[in-house]
Amino acid sequence: MIVDSHAHYDDEQFDTDRDDVIRGIQQQGVIRVVNPASNLNSARKCIELSKKFDILYCAVGIHPHDAKEFSDEAVNIIREMALNDKVVAVGETGLDYHYDFSPREMQKQNFAAHIRLARELKLPLIIHDREAHGDILDIIKAEKGYEAGGVFHCFSGSVEYAKTVLDMGFYISLGGAVTFKNAKKPVEVAKYVPLDRLLVETDSPYMAPVPHRGKRNHSGYLTEIIQKIAEIRSDDFDVIAEATAFNADRLFGLGL
Ligand code: NI
């Protein structure tokens, strides 16, 4: 049993063969996927897909890249969409200071509004944090984001940062980076995170793990990531697969 806590099947890279891919991953043992939205259009698409495929659940929100789209009206639309049964989280949201595709002030406002919404709706947050640790923590503290809880996806910080995030009650999700040859911090973090606070993800179609690096990613490749984490922790594949599946179920409520 494998649960992918973060994949984007609404992405246009799946437009030609989406149904086949989603059927295929089920044959590879994937029993649930959480599909976070990137913006309002993507959120609508995610909800449609989650109605079509039993294994697919979704999060609604505006990615920091698309924070330009943020407005009070947008928050109202997200609130409305969150009423759907298959919506299990708010996101993905956060800050991305690596690409800076949206002005930082907009990203901060967008993130703060998503935290307030998650608290109001009692849904967990899916947080994207790229080179923005300080501001992420400041905004979480100011808006009491720890009351909503959630996950730091594609965690890229140090063990010290992991400790800070875990102390606030968040889960940590690891993806393809843990398999990369030059991986140092993700490997240390994979060893450090308590087994009951760890999630795994592909971030498909991005971030394909070794030996598929550079290809379009899909949830079937999660086996490479779980295998690598199992090696790092000197544990069995099944132990990691099962624990991360139950953790995702505990956080999101995926009916397992
Ligand atoms: Ni993502």
Side-chain angles (χ1 to χ4, degrees):
M1 66 195 285
I2 291 172
V3 174
D4 189 349
S5 74
H6 195 117
H8 299 278
Y9 286 109
D10 58 296
D11 194 284
E12 61 185 15
Q13 290 189 48
F14 294 109
D15 279 355
T16 54
D17 60 352
R18 182 172 291 111
D19 291 18
D20 291 341
V21 173
I22 296 176
R23 266 192 291 272
I25 62 171
Q26 292 180 70
Q27 276 154 14
Q28 291 172 279
V30 177
I31 54 170
R32 295 286 187 277
V33 174
V34 178
N35 191 332
S38 312
N39 52 48
L40 296 181
N41 267 338
S42 138
R44 283 184 200 102
K45 224 165 147 186
C46 295
I47 292 172
E48 260 171 52
L49 288 175
S50 72
K51 286 180 181 163
K52 185 168 176 191
F53 298 101
D54 286 347
I55 67 162
L56 223 63
Y57 287 69
C58 47
V60 287
I62 300 174
H63 192 286
H65 288 343
D66 289 320
K68 300 188 253 343
E69 215 181 74
F70 168 75
S71 66
D72 291 341
E73 178 55 19
V75 175
N76 289 334
I77 295 170
I78 296 167
R79 180 185 288 110
E80 195 71 20
M81 288 194 289
L83 294 173
N84 193 285
D85 284 354
K86 298 289 288 285
V87 172
V88 294
V90 170
E92 65 181 282
T93 184
L95 303 173
D96 192 311
Y97 292 172
H98 180 76
Y99 288 109
D100 279 324
F101 285 157
S102 287
R104 291 186 182 183
E105 268 322 302
M106 290 289 281
Q107 293 193 42
K108 288 184 197 174
Q109 279 182 36
N110 183 55
F111 184 38
H114 279 70
I115 293 176
R116 289 194 288 273
L117 190 60
R119 288 179 58 204
E120 175 193 325
L121 299 171
K122 300 198 173 7
L123 286 174
L125 288 156
I126 296 180
I127 298 173
H128 173 109
D129 167 9
R130 189 123 187 237
E131 295 170 26
H133 303 340
D135 283 353
I136 286 273
L137 292 180
D138 285 350
I139 295 170
I140 286 175
K141 282 174 194 155
E143 300 292 346
K144 301 199 178 92
Y146 41 81
E147 287 185 0
V151 57
F152 276 62
H153 110 88
C154 264
F155 189 83
S156 59
S158 63
V159 163
E160 196 189 355
Y161 188 53
K163 184 180 186 313
T164 306
V165 161
L166 289 165
D167 284 348
M168 287 192 297
F170 289 96
Y171 287 76
I172 283 180
S173 178
L174 295 174
V178 84
T179 68
F180 296 169
K181 267 206 176 67
N182 56 357
K184 190 170 170 280
K185 279 197 278 185
V187 169
E188 290 168 2
V189 169
K191 205 177 287 182
Y192 173 77
V193 179
L195 193 54
D196 62 350
R197 301 288 287 285
L198 183 65
L199 300 184
V200 286
E201 68 173 83
T202 56
D203 204 14
S204 298
Y206 314 103
M207 289 287 284
V210 173
H212 311 287
R213 205 171 171 181
K215 283 197 244 169
R216 184 182 69 171
N217 201 0
H218 64 71
S219 305
Y221 293 160
L222 199 51
T223 52
E224 312 286 354
I225 295 164
I226 294 170
Q227 185 55 47
K228 181 69 190 187
I229 294 172
E231 279 166 26
I232 294 167
R233 297 177 69 104
S234 309
D235 234 325
D236 290 335
F237 179 94
D238 290 345
V239 171
I240 304 298
E242 191 169 297
T244 52
F246 281 126
N247 294 341
D249 186 45
R250 194 185 317 116
L251 178 61
F252 296 120
L254 304 175
L256 291 187

